[in-house]
Amino acid sequence: MAQNKANTADQSKLMEKIVSLAKRRGFIFQSSEIYGGLNGCWDYGPLGVEMLNNVKQQWWRSMTFRENVEGLDASILMHPRVWEASGHVENFTDPMVDCKQCKARYRLDVLFEETSLKKKKEILRELFPGEYDGQVKDEKVVESFEKYVSQDSNIPRIVPMLACPNCGNKGTFTDARKFNLMFKTFVGPVEDSSNVVYLRPETAQGIFVNFLNVQSASRQKIPFGIAQIGKAFRNEINTKNFLFRTREFEQMEMQFFVKPGTDVQHFDYWRSERMQWFVDLGMRKERLQWHQHPKDKLAHYAKDAYDIEYEFPFGWGEIEGVHNRTNFDLSRHEEFSGKTMKYFDEETKEKYTPFVIETSAGASRSFMAFLVDSYREEEAPTAEGGMEVRTVLKLHPSLAPTKIAVFPLVNRDGMPEIARSIEADLRRNFRVFYDDSGAVGRRYRRQDEVGTPYCITVDSETLQNKTVTVRDRDSMQQERIAINRLKEYFALKLL
RNA sequence: GCGGGAGUAACUCAGUUGGUAGAGUCACAGCCUUCCAAGCUGUUGGUCGCGGGUUCGAGUCCCGUCUCCCGCUCCA
């Protein structure tokens, strides 16, 4: 226990160090910082936006550089009926109560679930004197109870009759409060209920409603997928853990439309594809795991659901969900819009509503996982022969915000001029950083801290034979490369 | 939402019984430097999270509030 506590404190320190580095070097700033910040909102600084763009670009390539996946960018505001069809208007509302005695908080539906059969019967008898006397079948009790609590207007009556499962006190609950996790706003200048719109809580619906548009425009046949990257918004009760739970975040989603009956096979395929993506971009395998949602806790739309979890300093957290959404969404949109969402298979002459395999990654969460995973403090030798701590982001080169740094070893003998010309030349293809201040060792360390994979140094030998040193971030080894071969060298390493 | 901790320069922190804010790092300018961060000189930079109160006087005491971290709760 003591060890656990110390460990938690260390992990918390680690997270603080990463947050501090992220701010100091321009990855992440708190939103509206000069006004005291806005809870759960963060800004990406110069290096942060480069890295985030790299994450998104890698995802986009891995998805749309395929014959059977098309891209899409749907608008954030959508017709309000979309969210009725998707179930978000209804299901995003979780009434909750707090126990005034012991401060425990419950979701009302969970509280009802935990109420014993005997207690339910008692409550029904009290509510409807005479109707439930004597022998009553268990199923009928459960059914009547559920029917009663499904009416919102009955809630204020029933809550005071329940006892707190934690402290056992009765009548200590606050009134039920509803939390709708969708941000609501208004179209046009008049704020009334007839022109309510929502900020999308997920990007997926933009894909579903465009399913047939994309299919016919791109002449795709099932199975095929639609990929989209975009912002989504949830009015979370609590924000937490840096970028992990925020009210505004970015999703990278791909919905893959398949023939019913083939969904399990595609589900397995995409699960392995998505896990491999994180591994291929350098994330440590031992920090990744699958979490399968228990069947009885599945969301209203899902048949099967797995999350890819990353082990953050604060514990395991979901960075991507791979879900079998069945034909729920398309069917619902067909029902609510009155437009067909069915696909006609020319080969088999069948007409059906496709099943959907969803891969839904958090761009912001993935960003944070890559950042955390790459952060290392290593022992490194100093010029004096001692050892000291070297802070380095071991980012995969394709994710690193800066690819190459260029230094003149000293600021004379024409070295700066040569270094500048190398910089200008490489800048056409790569994000390059030029630095001539302080000792060269210090410049290397500055680049280590932001994950720059390669540093070029112009030295006195350059003046003799037109070669420079290229220093590798991870091994700190150098090799001599001819200036006129640099482009080719980095094309091989970085493209 | 509850409980605990915290908020002082860009970063890490000090600041005595209440007396008008300081260090190191960073940054910038110059000097010096021939390969793995902290050599020299100078300079910039602070509404002490914000608001109110007590006081002759508040970074310091009191109240409120915001934000961050930890735990609980929550996470269709």
Side-chain angles (χ1 to χ4, degrees):
Chain A
M1 193 66 189
Q3 196 185 353
N4 262 347
K5 260 189 183 161
N7 199 34
T8 305
D10 285 353
Q11 294 298 296
S12 173
K13 274 230 174 69
L14 171 62
M15 201 60 217
E16 278 169 31
K17 278 192 208 168
I18 295 171
V19 172
S20 170
L21 181 133
K23 181 184 178 187
R24 186 160 39 85
R25 301 306 307 270
F27 285 89
I28 300 291
F29 307 124
Q30 200 185 353
S31 166
S32 319
E33 191 186 19
I34 61 167
Y35 289 101
L38 180 64
N39 186 290
C41 296
W42 303 87
D43 298 343
Y44 290 79
L47 296 187
V49 64
E50 289 298 334
M51 182 173 152
L52 179 65
N53 282 341
N54 290 340
V55 170
K56 290 192 282 188
Q57 193 195 6
Q58 288 301 314
W59 184 89
W60 191 253
R61 291 166 65 114
S62 80
M63 282 296 169
T64 65
F65 284 25
R66 291 169 188 263
E67 193 178 12
N68 58 0
V69 176
E70 303 288 344
L72 178 73
D73 189 352
S75 82
I76 288 173
L77 301 177
M78 300 180 74
H79 196 288
R81 291 272 285 165
V82 167
W83 307 109
E84 291 173 29
S86 70
H88 286 85
V89 170
E90 192 181 353
N91 289 332
F92 249 71
T93 309
D94 294 327
M96 317 242 266
V97 293
D98 290 332
C99 173
K100 284 183 271 198
Q101 193 66 37
C102 70
K103 309 295 182 195
R105 165 174 288 184
Y106 300 94
R107 233 170 65 198
L108 215 50
D109 58 327
V110 174
L111 195 60
F112 291 148
E113 227 171 80
E114 285 181 5
T115 304
S116 70
L117 193 68
K118 195 178 149 202
K119 182 74 194 170
K120 283 178 182 166
K121 203 190 280 185
E122 267 176 44
I123 290 170
L124 287 169
R125 281 181 178 154
E126 198 175 327
L127 287 167
F128 307 100
E131 280 186 47
Y132 294 90
D133 289 347
Q135 289 284 330
V136 186
K137 278 187 182 165
D138 293 352
E139 294 79 25
K140 182 152 173 12
V141 171
V142 173
E143 193 186 314
S144 305
F145 186 85
E146 274 176 12
K147 194 176 165 197
Y148 186 77
V149 300
S150 69
Q151 286 282 329
D152 282 357
S153 56
N154 291 334
I155 299 298
R157 187 125 184 247
I158 202 160
V159 169
M161 304 169 84
L162 298 169
C164 173
N166 185 43
C167 66
N169 285 296
K170 196 172 155 184
T172 56
F173 287 121
T174 59
D175 291 341
R177 281 166 294 179
K178 282 192 168 190
F179 297 93
N180 193 300
L181 293 180
M182 281 197 293
F183 281 100
K184 196 187 273 186
T185 186
F186 304 91
V187 168
V190 184
E191 296 191 3
D192 69 37
S193 58
S194 66
N195 52 24
V196 163
V197 290
Y198 300 99
L199 269 56
R200 66 182 176 198
E202 63 175 20
T203 53
Q205 300 303 326
I207 294 177
F208 297 137
V209 300
N210 278 300
F211 160 61
L212 286 177
N213 284 340
V214 172
Q215 186 269 323
S216 61
S218 60
R219 297 167 49 230
Q220 286 283 359
K221 291 185 174 59
I222 274 179
F224 78 99
I226 302 175
Q228 172 170 227
I229 296 175
K231 290 266 176 120
F233 306 83
R234 293 181 196 177
N235 200 356
E236 298 284 354
I237 300 162
N238 298 325
T239 58
K240 226 188 160 175
N241 292 328
F242 198 34
L243 306 179
F244 189 75
R245 173 157 299 125
T246 53
R247 299 206 163 98
E248 174 176 343
F249 56 99
E250 197 155 30
Q251 294 186 305
M252 307 186 289
E253 291 201 321
M254 194 280 302
Q255 310 289 338
F256 202 71
F257 300 89
V258 307
K259 185 176 175 181
T262 66
D263 49 308
V264 172
Q265 133 204 1
H266 285 107
F267 185 62
D268 291 344
Y269 170 80
W270 283 108
R271 279 209 296 137
S272 103
E273 283 287 291
R274 292 310 305 149
M275 181 61 95
Q276 196 56 40
W277 184 78
F278 289 101
V279 174
D280 288 345
L281 286 172
M283 211 173 270
R284 287 171 287 185
K285 269 185 182 163
E286 65 272 21
R287 303 266 168 125
L288 289 163
Q289 72 176 16
W290 283 107
H291 165 75
Q292 182 178 18
H293 293 209
K295 297 281 181 191
D296 58 333
K297 294 247 170 87
L298 286 173
H300 59 275
Y301 55 73
K303 173 177 166 187
D304 203 357
Y306 282 80
D307 293 339
I308 296 175
E309 295 185 333
Y310 178 79
E311 190 176 19
F312 291 99
F314 47 81
W316 291 95
E318 177 193 351
I319 53 176
E320 172 153 359
V322 181
H323 297 180
N324 183 343
R325 290 185 79 131
T326 70
N327 58 8
F328 176 85
D329 299 278
L330 292 180
S331 303
R332 291 277 288 192
H333 285 304
E334 181 163 301
E335 182 189 330
F336 278 67
S337 70
K339 306 281 178 354
T340 183
M341 286 286 145
K342 289 187 176 65
Y343 171 81
F344 183 71
D345 192 321
E346 299 284 355
E347 275 177 40
T348 61
K349 305 295 177 199
E350 286 173 283
K351 203 175 194 184
Y352 57 80
T353 306
F355 267 42
V356 175
I357 304 304
E358 165 182 271
T359 70
S360 174
S364 337
R365 284 184 178 185
S366 300
F367 171 95
M368 183 167 66
F370 282 120
L371 185 67
V372 166
D373 197 67
S374 66
Y375 182 91
R376 311 290 164 81
E377 289 173 1
E378 294 181 342
E379 290 284 307
T382 63
E384 290 77 34
M387 294 296 273
E388 65 165 15
V389 173
R390 174 175 89 119
T391 300
V392 51
L393 294 186
K394 296 203 162 180
L395 289 169
H396 190 279
S398 64
L399 299 182
T402 305
K403 309 300 185 194
I404 305 161
V406 183
F407 312 141
L409 186 59
V410 289
N411 289 310
R412 52 177 161 79
D413 301 339
M415 291 183 202
E417 290 75 10
I418 298 173
R420 281 292 187 191
S421 88
I422 291 172
E423 176 209 0
D425 193 34
L426 290 175
R427 218 182 257 292
R428 283 193 282 236
N429 297 302
F430 305 101
R431 275 201 94 247
V432 179
F433 184 79
Y434 182 89
D435 194 358
D436 62 5
S437 75
V440 73
R442 171 189 286 267
R443 291 179 240 162
Y444 286 140
R445 295 300 166 79
R446 275 201 284 247
Q447 293 308 310
D448 288 343
E449 205 179 39
V450 296
T452 305
Y454 300 103
C455 295
I456 294 172
T457 301
V458 172
D459 59 12
S460 53
E461 200 178 324
T462 309
L463 309 174
Q464 312 298 317
N465 62 11
K466 294 195 163 85
T467 63
V468 292
T469 63
V470 175
R471 180 256 197 188
D472 180 88
R473 177 194 66 201
D474 298 339
S475 67
M476 295 193 281
Q477 298 299 305
Q478 294 178 312
E479 55 180 316
R480 290 208 81 88
I481 306 287
I483 291 172
N484 61 17
R485 278 198 55 236
L486 283 172
K487 257 191 190 169
E488 177 192 343
Y489 178 87
F490 288 119
L492 222 59
K493 297 265 191 191
L494 294 169
L495 296 181

